[in-house]
Coordinates of all heavy atoms in Angstrom, one line a residue:
I1 N 8.1 5.4 7.6 CA 7.0 6.2 8.0 C 7.2 7.6 7.3 O 8.3 8.0 7.1 CB 6.9 6.3 9.5 CG1 5.6 7.0 10.0 CG2 8.2 7.0 10.1 CD1 5.4 6.9 11.5
T2 N 6.1 8.2 7.0 CA 6.1 9.6 6.5 C 5.1 10.4 7.4 O 4.0 10.0 7.7 CB 5.6 9.6 5.0 OG1 6.4 8.8 4.2 CG2 5.6 11.0 4.5
T3 N 5.6 11.5 7.9 CA 4.8 12.3 8.8 C 4.6 13.7 8.2 O 5.4 14.2 7.4 CB 5.5 12.5 10.1 OG1 6.7 13.3 10.0 CG2 5.9 11.1 10.7
A4 N 3.5 14.4 8.7 CA 3.3 15.8 8.4 C 2.6 16.4 9.7 O 1.7 15.8 10.2 CB 2.3 15.9 7.2
A5 N 3.2 17.5 10.1 CA 2.7 18.1 11.4 C 2.2 19.5 11.0 O 2.9 20.3 10.4 CB 3.8 18.2 12.4
D6 N 0.9 19.7 11.3 CA 0.2 21.0 11.2 C 0.5 21.8 12.4 O -0.1 21.5 13.5 CB -1.3 20.8 11.0 CG -2.0 22.1 10.7 OD1 -1.5 23.2 11.1 OD2 -3.1 22.1 10.0
L7 N 1.5 22.7 12.4 CA 1.9 23.4 13.6 C 0.9 24.4 14.1 O 0.9 24.7 15.3 CB 3.3 24.1 13.3 CG 4.4 23.2 12.7 CD1 5.7 24.0 12.7 CD2 4.5 21.9 13.6
Q8 N 0.1 25.0 13.3 CA -1.0 25.9 13.7 C -2.1 25.2 14.4 O -2.5 25.6 15.5 CB -1.5 26.7 12.5 CG -2.6 27.6 12.9 CD -3.0 28.5 11.7 OE1 -2.5 29.6 11.5 NE2 -3.9 28.0 10.9
E9 N -2.5 24.1 13.8 CA -3.6 23.3 14.4 C -3.1 22.2 15.4 O -4.0 21.6 16.1 CB -4.4 22.6 13.3 CG -5.1 23.6 12.3 CD -6.1 24.5 13.0 OE1 -6.8 24.0 14.0 OE2 -6.2 25.6 12.6
R10 N -1.8 22.0 15.4 CA -1.2 21.1 16.4 C -1.7 19.6 16.2 O -2.2 19.0 17.1 CB -1.3 21.6 17.8 CG -0.7 22.9 18.0 CD -0.7 23.4 19.4 NE -2.0 23.6 20.0 CZ -2.8 24.6 19.8 NH1 -2.4 25.6 18.9 NH2 -3.9 24.8 20.4
V11 N -1.7 19.2 14.9 CA -2.1 17.9 14.6 C -1.0 17.2 13.9 O -0.4 17.7 12.9 CB -3.4 17.9 13.7 CG1 -3.8 16.5 13.3 CG2 -4.6 18.6 14.3
L12 N -0.7 15.9 14.3 CA 0.3 15.1 13.7 C -0.4 14.1 12.8 O -1.3 13.4 13.2 CB 1.2 14.4 14.7 CG 2.2 13.5 14.2 CD1 3.3 14.2 13.5 CD2 2.8 12.6 15.3
Y13 N 0.1 14.0 11.5 CA -0.4 13.0 10.6 C 0.7 12.1 10.2 O 1.9 12.5 10.2 CB -0.9 13.7 9.3 CG -2.0 14.7 9.4 CD1 -1.8 16.0 9.9 CD2 -3.3 14.4 8.9 CE1 -2.8 16.9 10.0 CE2 -4.3 15.4 9.0 CZ -4.1 16.6 9.6 OH -5.1 17.5 9.6
F14 N 0.4 10.8 9.9 CA 1.4 9.9 9.4 C 0.8 8.8 8.6 O -0.4 8.4 8.8 CB 2.2 9.4 10.6 CG 1.5 8.5 11.5 CD1 1.6 7.1 11.3 CD2 0.7 9.0 12.6 CE1 0.9 6.2 12.2 CE2 0.1 8.1 13.4 CZ 0.2 6.7 13.2
H15 N 1.6 8.2 7.8 CA 1.3 6.8 7.2 C 2.6 6.0 7.2 O 3.7 6.6 7.3 CB 0.6 6.9 5.8 CG 1.4 7.6 4.7 ND1 2.5 7.0 4.2 CD2 1.2 8.7 4.1 CE1 3.0 7.8 3.2 NE2 2.2 8.9 3.2
T16 N 2.5 4.7 7.1 CA 3.6 3.9 7.3 C 3.8 3.0 6.0 O 3.0 3.0 5.1 CB 3.5 2.9 8.5 OG1 2.4 2.0 8.2 CG2 3.1 3.7 9.7
M17 N 5.0 2.3 6.0 CA 5.3 1.4 4.9 C 4.3 0.3 4.8 O 4.2 -0.3 3.7 CB 6.7 0.9 5.1 CG 6.9 -0.1 6.3 SD 8.5 -0.8 6.4 CE 8.4 -1.6 8.0
S18 N 3.6 -0.1 5.8 CA 2.7 -1.2 5.8 C 1.3 -0.8 5.7 O 0.5 -1.7 5.4 CB 2.9 -2.0 7.1 OG 4.2 -2.4 7.3
N19 N 1.0 0.5 5.9 CA -0.4 0.9 5.8 C -0.4 2.4 5.4 O -0.1 3.2 6.2 CB -1.1 0.7 7.1 CG -2.6 1.0 7.0 OD1 -3.1 1.6 6.1 ND2 -3.4 0.5 8.0
R20 N -0.8 2.6 4.1 CA -0.8 4.0 3.6 C -2.0 4.8 4.1 O -2.1 6.0 3.7 CB -0.8 3.9 2.1 CG 0.4 3.3 1.5 CD 1.6 4.2 1.3 NE 1.3 5.2 0.3 CZ 2.2 6.1 0.0 NH1 3.4 6.2 0.6 NH2 1.9 7.0 -0.9
R21 N -2.9 4.3 4.9 CA -3.9 5.1 5.4 C -3.3 6.1 6.3 O -2.5 5.9 7.2 CB -4.9 4.2 6.2 CG -6.1 5.0 6.8 CD -7.0 4.1 7.6 NE -8.2 4.8 8.0 CZ -9.2 4.3 8.7 NH1 -9.0 3.1 9.2 NH2 -10.2 5.0 9.0
V22 N -3.8 7.4 6.1 CA -3.3 8.5 7.0 C -4.0 8.5 8.3 O -5.2 8.4 8.4 CB -3.5 9.8 6.3 CG1 -3.1 11.0 7.2 CG2 -2.7 9.9 5.0
R23 N -3.2 8.5 9.4 CA -3.7 8.5 10.7 C -3.3 9.8 11.4 O -2.3 10.4 11.0 CB -3.2 7.3 11.5 CG -3.9 6.0 11.1 CD -3.1 4.8 11.2 NE -2.2 4.7 10.1 CZ -1.3 3.7 10.0 NH1 -1.2 2.8 10.9 NH2 -0.5 3.6 8.9
T24 N -4.1 10.3 12.4 CA -3.8 11.6 13.0 C -3.8 11.5 14.5 O -4.5 10.6 15.1 CB -4.8 12.6 12.6 OG1 -6.1 12.3 13.1 CG2 -4.9 12.8 11.1
I25 N -3.1 12.4 15.2 CA -3.2 12.7 16.6 C -3.4 14.2 16.7 O -2.5 15.0 16.4 CB -2.0 12.2 17.3 CG1 -1.8 10.7 17.2 CG2 -2.1 12.5 18.8 CD1 -0.5 10.2 17.8
D26 N -4.6 14.6 17.3 CA -4.9 16.0 17.5 C -4.4 16.4 18.9 O -5.1 16.0 19.9 CB -6.4 16.2 17.3 CG -6.7 17.7 17.4 OD1 -5.9 18.5 17.9 OD2 -7.9 18.1 17.0
L27 N -3.3 17.1 19.1 CA -2.8 17.4 20.4 C -3.7 18.3 21.2 O -3.6 18.4 22.4 CB -1.4 18.0 20.2 CG -0.2 17.0 20.1 CD1 -0.3 16.2 18.8 CD2 1.1 17.6 20.3
K28 N -4.6 19.1 20.5 CA -5.5 19.9 21.2 C -6.5 19.1 22.0 O -7.1 19.6 23.0 CB -6.2 20.8 20.3 CG -5.4 21.8 19.4 CD -6.2 22.8 18.6 CE -7.2 22.1 17.7 NZ -6.5 21.2 16.7
R29 N -6.7 17.9 21.7 CA -7.7 17.0 22.3 C -7.0 16.0 23.3 O -7.7 15.2 23.9 CB -8.5 16.3 21.3 CG -9.4 17.2 20.5 CD -9.9 16.6 19.2 NE -10.4 15.2 19.4 CZ -10.4 14.2 18.5 NH1 -9.9 14.5 17.3 NH2 -10.8 13.0 18.8
V30 N -5.8 16.1 23.5 CA -5.1 15.2 24.4 C -5.0 15.8 25.8 O -4.8 17.0 25.9 CB -3.6 14.9 23.9 CG1 -2.8 14.1 24.9 CG2 -3.6 14.2 22.5
D31 N -5.3 15.0 26.8 CA -5.2 15.4 28.2 C -3.8 15.3 28.6 O -3.4 14.2 29.1 CB -6.2 14.6 29.0 CG -6.2 15.0 30.5 OD1 -5.5 16.0 30.8 OD2 -6.8 14.4 31.3
F32 N -3.0 16.4 28.6 CA -1.6 16.3 29.0 C -1.4 16.5 30.5 O -0.3 16.5 30.9 CB -0.8 17.4 28.2 CG -0.6 17.1 26.8 CD1 -1.3 17.8 25.8 CD2 0.3 16.1 26.4 CE1 -1.0 17.5 24.4 CE2 0.5 15.8 25.1 CZ -0.1 16.5 24.1
T33 N -2.5 16.6 31.2 CA -2.4 16.5 32.7 C -2.4 15.1 33.2 O -2.1 14.9 34.4 CB -3.5 17.3 33.3 OG1 -4.8 16.7 33.1 CG2 -3.6 18.8 32.8
K34 N -2.8 14.2 32.4 CA -2.9 12.8 32.8 C -1.4 12.3 33.1 O -0.6 12.3 32.2 CB -3.5 11.9 31.8 CG -3.7 10.5 32.1 CD -4.3 9.7 30.9 CE -4.4 8.2 31.2 NZ -5.0 7.5 30.1
P35 N -1.2 11.8 34.3 CA 0.2 11.3 34.6 C 0.6 10.1 33.8 O -0.3 9.3 33.4 CB 0.2 11.0 36.1 CG -1.3 10.7 36.4 CD -2.1 11.6 35.5
G36 N 1.9 9.9 33.7 CA 2.3 8.7 32.9 C 2.3 8.9 31.4 O 1.6 9.8 30.9

């Protein structure tokens, strides 16, 4: 896996050995109050 984290925008990017498509997780849009 190869990752890149934009620390200002708080977005994690990655692609893997099996799929070179870049995928993202935008932490600003995650509900961190949700339990579990």
Side-chain angles (χ1 to χ4, degrees):
I1 190 169
T2 302
T3 70
D6 184 334
L7 305 188
Q8 178 174 266
E9 297 299 325
R10 302 187 296 284
V11 179
L12 178 68
Y13 299 76
F14 69 94
H15 61 72
T16 67
M17 64 176 174
S18 303
N19 187 342
R20 297 276 292 183
R21 182 182 188 183
V22 175
R23 285 149 279 178
T24 68
I25 299 175
D26 186 342
L27 275 67
K28 299 187 302 298
R29 292 162 46 206
V30 174
D31 181 3
F32 286 109
T33 66
K34 180 181 177 182

